[in-house]
Amino acid sequence: MKKCNVIFSATMIAVFSVVAFANEPDLNSNPFLAEHAAQPQGAQVFSFTETPIELHEHDKINTAQDTGYLRLALETKTNGFALVDTSQIKDIEKVIAEYKNGHELFLRTLKPEIMAAQSTADQTNLSQQFAGDTVALDNILLQQEFTVMSKTVGGNFIAGSGWDQLTQIVKNDTFGTVIIKMFSFSQSSGVYIDADAVNYYVNSNPGVLYVLKDNSDNVYTSLSWVDQKQSYSIGLEKNINDIGLAGRFKTLITSM
């Protein structure tokens, strides 16, 4: 099963292709143009403002068709946060509940069918395995004294490697509850990130940071970024640009 993502905001959505991040965006390779066939694997930064976004029919329900997310990214970069209505501030407990409900549905429906199509060795050894690398993340969570509340895998199964998605819900005194998601690229998956929304870098890799804040000081931070092997996203109810958090948050994400 081919899968790919697009980072417009903290949300990942479908598409494909790979180039080095140092390259200029290739305007002719816009995967959302109906006349272009998608090509799989890896990560690419692409400027969507330079080309009309004429979506494939199956992408239309998933993809933002306005530039509101660009305003949030710019304001976050300029001011340290974007002022939004309270309705736009996520309740992390509701996010977790929705994720758990979705994962339970996955376990009951998709997972048995997907695993039944795998080799006996994969069914025996890799049914709970994430295909990507989590060694650095596991070490930094231990060093920063996080408690792991849950750790689940899913998405697509990569033969001989495991599942391409990992979600961890972790908690410590500094950050509170944090949702960490990782997506591992296979030979038939990848991610596009909107070059116009890039406002944050993790180890020189491009990312999109939103710190959403309302007039009552409710806040939600979401950061998504990519390297050439995986994509990552973090969500938490803190302003990670606050002086007391910025350094520790940078340590966390650059160690992943």
Side-chain angles (χ1 to χ4, degrees):
M1 181 186 299
K2 290 185 178 180
K3 176 165 182 175
C4 201
N5 300 317
V6 175
I7 300 178
F8 280 122
S9 60
T11 316
M12 306 286 191
I13 317 171
V15 199
F16 311 39
S17 200
V18 58
V19 296
F21 291 142
N23 290 354
E24 290 296 321
D26 180 2
L27 304 183
N28 294 318
S29 69
N30 187 343
F32 289 110
L33 291 178
E35 66 267 24
H36 293 159
Q39 300 297 320
Q41 193 178 359
Q44 178 172 333
V45 179
F46 183 87
S47 175
F48 289 91
T49 62
E50 300 293 338
T51 307
I53 301 178
E54 182 183 347
L55 301 179
H56 297 291
E57 189 63 34
H58 65 275
D59 292 322
K60 288 182 180 179
I61 60 171
N62 292 326
T63 309
Q65 298 186 57
D66 58 49
T67 56
Y69 66 94
L70 295 178
R71 177 187 67 82
L72 299 179
L74 177 60
E75 289 187 9
T76 296
K77 182 177 181 179
T78 302
N79 304 321
F81 66 90
L83 188 63
V84 298
D85 184 79
T86 301
S87 62
Q88 293 180 259
I89 304 293
K90 292 184 179 181
D91 181 328
I92 200 164
E93 294 303 324
K94 289 183 179 179
V95 174
I96 291 171
E98 291 171 357
Y99 159 72
K100 288 183 176 179
N101 289 338
H103 188 66
E104 288 174 3
L105 181 62
F106 167 79
L107 293 178
R108 290 195 305 268
T109 58
L110 291 177
K111 183 177 180 180
E113 181 180 349
I114 294 171
M115 288 309 299
Q118 309 308 316
S119 68
T120 301
D122 280 359
Q123 291 184 47
T124 302
N125 301 316
L126 299 176
S127 65
Q128 302 298 323
Q129 180 71 35
F130 175 55
D133 181 10
T134 65
V135 174
L137 173 60
D138 292 340
N139 287 338
I140 196 63
L141 291 179
L142 181 63
Q143 292 170 17
Q144 295 204 15
E145 299 180 343
F146 279 93
T147 299
V148 178
M149 312 299 289
S150 69
K151 184 176 182 179
T152 53
V153 292
N156 299 296
F157 191 84
I158 303 173
S161 298
W163 299 94
D164 66 357
Q165 295 180 50
L166 169 71
T167 301
Q168 292 198 61
I169 300 171
V170 302
K171 188 174 185 178
N172 76 357
D173 292 338
T174 300
F175 296 109
T177 302
V178 183
I179 302 173
I180 301 173
K181 297 182 180 181
M182 301 171 69
F183 171 71
S184 180
F185 304 147
S186 69
Q187 292 183 349
S188 59
S189 66
V191 59
Y192 273 79
I193 186 169
D194 189 340
D196 304 301
V198 170
N199 62 352
Y200 199 91
Y201 288 86
V202 181
N203 297 325
S204 299
N205 296 309
V208 179
L209 171 67
Y210 299 116
V211 179
L212 306 182
K213 183 178 178 181
D214 67 10
N215 285 318
S216 299
D217 289 331
N218 297 306
V219 66
Y220 191 90
T221 287
S222 61
L223 171 66
S224 299
W225 75 98
V226 295
D227 58 28
Q228 290 295 342
K229 294 182 179 180
Q230 298 181 153
S231 66
Y232 312 78
S233 69
I234 288 184
L236 65 158
E237 292 178 316
K238 300 277 187 176
N239 182 346
I240 59 87
N241 285 324
D242 283 346
I243 294 175
L245 288 179
R248 291 194 66 177
F249 185 74
K250 194 75 172 180
T251 299
L252 170 64
I253 61 175
T254 55
S255 300
M256 293 172 60

